[in-house]
Amino acid sequence: DALGLGDVRVLVAVSGGIDSVVLFDALWALREDRGLELVAGHVDHGLRGAATSQADAVFVRALAEERGCAFAVAQVDPRAARDGGSSRSRPTLQEAARELRYRALSGLACEAGAAHVATAHNADDQAETVLLRLLRGCGPDGLGGIPERSPDGVVVRPLLRATRAEIAACARARGLAWREDASNASPAYARNRLRHEVLPQLAAGFNPRLLQTLANLAEASRRDAEWMRSVVAEESRRRLRTTQLEPDGAACIEIATGGWDEHELPEALGRRLVAQAMAELWIGREVARVHIERVLAFLRRGDRVAVGRAIELPCGARLERRATCFALWCPAGQPGGGSPGC
């Protein structure tokens, strides 16, 4: 009920793997009680070879037809999405696949008139995501992991509290068939190494309820982040103003000069406001902690900064002191200069 899955059409993302098959089966079993109309949606990434990808699509189509359910398929090319740009700004193959997958699922949902897209992320996925982010370096928001639903409420994840072991037990009990993805066992991917080596050792040596512990951490972190976002939004309205394009076509965010002193503004809130401003300028992907610290230190000097002084930031962006405000902007023609992406 919290996910809003009642009397609605739902596009179920079905890859053919065990998780998505169990999700589809569970929602199918609930369709009459919940008033659900389902569409099985499949995205072909072309990453497993043409023959295997085609077999996956055939399997999902047959599963849908067996239940008398509508079927929709889309093809994407993650490799092409990585062409061009610097190695620093270019997404990994997995990142590109994920971005294109969600975009394709959203398109399929629109075509089918579905209000929601249901994906089969589970508790193991959550634990892996939290640990990967922690190991790679993340802020408090990163510990929130995978949310139960997207900010707009379209994407929902009904199995997020279920473990892979529980999902496998359900599949066996229901006599379900599924497709195996050989790449899930490949040690070439960090997530797989974490899944098959690190997490089992941590659970055996430190905490047998590790999955539950990490799920609780993620949920608590998400709730704190939701509250903090409301505070940041209120402060942003007071301190940040996106102006019309600069004369040369560059986007600009005007930032109030006062109230940045550490005695007036907590460090955590100051950092989030800076990150918010950079995100609005579409340079957030390239921003590291050191950039946020430099910007916050510059802002905290306030009126002591001479008009015309500036600091350089990623993507050609600049933060400079003007007569009545600070201005964060990115020259036209530079990545981030008034357009998404960096």
Side-chain angles (χ1 to χ4, degrees):
D1 293 338
L3 297 178
L5 295 183
D7 298 315
V8 70
R9 181 175 295 177
V10 179
L11 182 92
V12 188
V14 187
S15 67
I18 186 170
D19 299 340
S20 63
V21 168
V22 168
L23 172 64
F24 178 73
D25 180 71
L27 292 178
W28 182 259
L30 293 171
R31 72 191 188 286
E32 293 184 357
D33 289 342
R34 294 298 184 94
L36 299 177
E37 184 178 351
L38 303 184
V39 178
H42 179 75
V43 179
D44 177 4
H45 302 86
L47 296 178
R48 301 173 59 196
T52 301
S53 294
Q54 184 178 14
D56 290 341
V58 168
F59 174 85
V60 176
R61 180 188 293 274
L63 177 65
E65 291 177 348
E66 177 186 334
R67 308 292 178 96
C69 175
F71 171 75
V73 63
Q75 289 186 319
V76 299
D77 187 357
R79 292 187 178 89
R82 300 184 71 242
D83 292 341
S86 67
S87 59
R88 177 177 173 82
S89 63
R90 189 168 58 240
T92 67
L93 187 61
Q94 295 302 313
E95 288 173 340
R98 182 168 57 250
E99 172 66 24
L100 291 175
R101 178 168 61 251
Y102 277 112
R103 195 181 304 171
L105 290 171
S106 176
L108 291 177
C110 287
E111 293 173 4
H116 296 288
V117 174
T119 69
H121 293 89
N122 55 54
D124 293 64
D125 294 323
Q126 183 72 284
E128 293 160 9
T129 297
V130 170
L131 280 182
L132 276 174
R133 291 181 180 179
L134 183 62
L135 292 171
R136 290 169 174 170
C138 71
D141 288 358
L143 297 179
I146 307 169
E148 303 96 333
R149 56 191 299 163
S150 59
D152 60 8
V154 173
V155 179
V156 294
R157 302 176 174 95
L159 299 184
L160 199 57
R161 281 285 184 169
T163 66
R164 282 202 189 97
E166 292 170 337
I167 290 171
C170 178
R172 290 192 295 270
R174 299 277 294 174
L176 302 177
W178 61 87
R179 298 272 296 169
E180 292 287 354
D181 184 349
S183 67
N184 286 334
S186 171
Y189 299 108
R191 183 176 288 270
N192 288 345
R193 296 194 298 274
L194 196 69
R195 175 181 304 172
H196 300 299
E197 301 171 18
V198 179
L199 274 169
Q201 291 182 28
L202 289 175
F206 296 94
N207 184 354
R209 293 179 55 81
L210 183 61
L211 292 182
Q212 183 66 51
T213 298
L214 291 172
N216 291 340
L217 171 63
E219 183 174 2
S221 298
R222 285 198 304 278
R223 300 297 173 255
D224 286 349
E226 289 168 0
W227 168 76
M228 181 60 81
R229 277 195 292 271
S230 67
V231 176
V232 172
E234 182 178 348
E235 286 294 323
S236 294
R237 287 191 290 270
R238 294 179 53 234
R239 298 169 182 270
L240 310 179
R241 185 170 74 93
T242 302
T243 66
Q244 293 183 337
L245 296 182
E246 294 282 283
D248 66 351
C252 177
I253 296 175
E254 295 183 351
I255 304 174
T257 58
W260 292 93
D261 186 89
E262 59 186 2
H263 300 297
E264 301 177 69
L265 187 71
E267 177 85 10
L269 182 53
R271 289 175 183 272
R272 286 175 180 267
L273 285 168
V274 170
Q276 173 72 20
M278 291 179 165
E280 290 183 13
L281 201 62
W282 301 101
I283 64 173
R285 178 181 173 84
E286 293 295 298
V287 172
R289 181 186 181 94
V290 64
H291 302 124
I292 292 177
E293 290 176 345
R294 285 184 62 214
V295 169
L296 185 56
F298 196 72
L299 294 173
R300 282 187 164 167
R301 291 170 59 192
D303 292 333
R304 291 173 292 168
V305 179
V307 173
R309 289 290 302 276
I311 56 175
E312 304 293 333
L313 296 166
C315 299
R318 289 167 57 88
L319 175 66
E320 67 179 35
R321 179 71 161 87
R322 295 186 176 176
T324 59
C325 66
F326 287 100
L328 178 65
W329 60 287
C330 201
Q334 292 288 331
S339 63
C342 176

